[in-house]
Structures are given as structure tokens and as C-alpha cells.
Amino acid sequence: MPKQDKSLFFKWVRANALGWLLGVPIIAVLALLGEAVGIGGSQVLVGAGMGVSVGWLQARALRTVLTKTTPWFWACVVGLAVPFLVTDIAALMEWNFPYYLQVAVTAAGLIVGAWQASLLRSVTPKALWWLPVSVLGWALAAATVGAADGLLRTHSVRGLLGALAYLGLISVGGLLLGLITGAGLTRLLAYKAEK
């Protein structure tokens, strides 16, 4: 991997890992604001909060790749919020439709990936490959949250050790998202360099 690609890869992984972690307090702040305006418990705040933190840091990491990074940020915010908004609407309409975090985040990965692939077309002819990379990255990141929730529900690890295990599993999500999408991104950008 060329030095420039390595630099982008590590910057990207760091941005995703940190963005994932920062997403938790941003979601908490949005939840408090939601309570204040009467939409407490709204799932769209979860998607939007994670989209703000991950999208902002991803966009910063791409400043040397894309001429405009603001659309990338909005792709994350809107793309992650939409599936959660659908679950909120379903609950409001009293449709008997189960909520699965994994499904919502995987769908978000599809929306985000499609939007971001359109943005990557200006820098790589293989931009469409960003779609499966995005879906895989977001799906595996969400799986860590599901694993942490499963650990919490079984009460197999309690107390401080349980809390640390829970937080540790959740934090792996951003790292996985960064590693998977970072590998895909640097490969897609390298393709242009090979031509």
C-alpha cells in the first residue's frame, strides 16, 4: 500500500472509531432535546446522532480526496436517520412491525452507501463498489451492538466487568466500520491510480 493510501487508511479508521464513540453522547444529547420537545424515545434520533458524529469525522478524513465533503456528511446523517424514521412512523401508526437494530443499521448502510457512491464517482470509476462495502461495514458495526445487548440480557457478566465488556463490545463497532470501509475506500481510490 503506498504511503498516501496508508495515511488515508489510518486517518479513516481513526475517524470511524472516534465517530462511533462520539455518537453515544451525541445520541444522548439528542434524546434529551427530544424529551424537551415531546419526541423522547424517537429512534430517528439514534440514527441522526450516529450520522452526525461518524459523518462529520469521515468528511474531515476525506478533505484531500473530495472537493466538497459537506454532501458526504449529509449522506451519513440523512442515510442513517431514514430507516429509524421508518420505525418511528410504524410505531406511531401502530403497525405491528418489530424493530430490529441490525436491520435498521444495515438498511442505513445501503442508503448511505448508495449516496456516497454517487459522490465517489468523481474520484474513482469503481465507485459503485462502495455500496456493498458500506453495507458490510455498517452491518458488522451494528452486530457488535447486538452482541453487547445480548451479553447484557443474559446477565452472564455483571458489575464493573459487565459494564466494561458491554462498552468494549460496542466500541469495536466503529473500529470494524473503519477497517472494512477503509480497506474498500483505499482500494477504490487506488484503482484510479492504476489506470
Side-chain angles (χ1 to χ4, degrees):
M1 187 182 290
K3 186 178 179 181
Q4 184 179 2
D5 291 349
K6 280 184 185 176
S7 173
L8 176 62
F9 176 78
F10 288 117
K11 194 184 313 182
W12 183 264
V13 171
R14 187 175 52 246
N16 281 273
L18 184 57
W20 188 263
L21 292 175
L22 287 174
V24 175
I26 290 174
I27 291 167
V29 167
L30 289 176
L32 290 171
L33 292 172
E35 288 291 331
V37 298
I39 59 166
S42 177
Q43 294 300 308
V44 72
L45 301 175
V46 173
M50 193 57 72
V52 165
S53 59
V54 172
W56 177 59
L57 289 169
Q58 282 183 351
R60 287 181 51 83
L62 289 175
R63 287 183 299 188
T64 59
V65 175
L66 298 172
T67 54
K68 293 181 183 178
T69 58
T70 304
W72 189 277
F73 167 78
W74 286 111
C76 277
V77 175
V78 175
L80 282 166
V82 166
F84 291 94
L85 179 61
V86 169
T87 63
D88 286 340
I89 291 169
L92 184 65
M93 301 300 288
E94 298 180 3
W95 295 334
N96 192 11
F97 160 134
Y99 165 72
Y100 297 106
L101 177 71
Q102 184 72 44
V103 172
V105 175
T106 302
L110 182 64
I111 295 166
V112 169
W115 191 340
Q116 290 173 342
S118 73
L119 300 172
L120 287 171
R121 281 189 317 199
S122 66
V123 293
T124 178
K126 297 288 187 179
L128 192 56
W129 282 102
W130 181 251
L131 186 59
V133 169
S134 175
V135 170
L136 180 63
W138 284 105
L140 290 178
T144 65
V145 176
D149 286 346
L151 180 70
L152 188 65
R153 271 189 245 109
T154 63
H155 303 290
S156 56
V157 184
R158 295 180 181 178
L160 181 59
L161 185 60
L164 291 174
Y166 182 82
L167 292 174
L169 269 172
I170 286 178
S171 66
V172 169
L175 183 61
L176 277 174
L177 176 63
L179 289 170
I180 291 163
T181 57
L185 180 65
T186 54
R187 181 65 195 124
L188 291 175
L189 296 176
Y191 180 81
K192 180 180 179 184
E194 291 171 4
K195 291 309 249 178

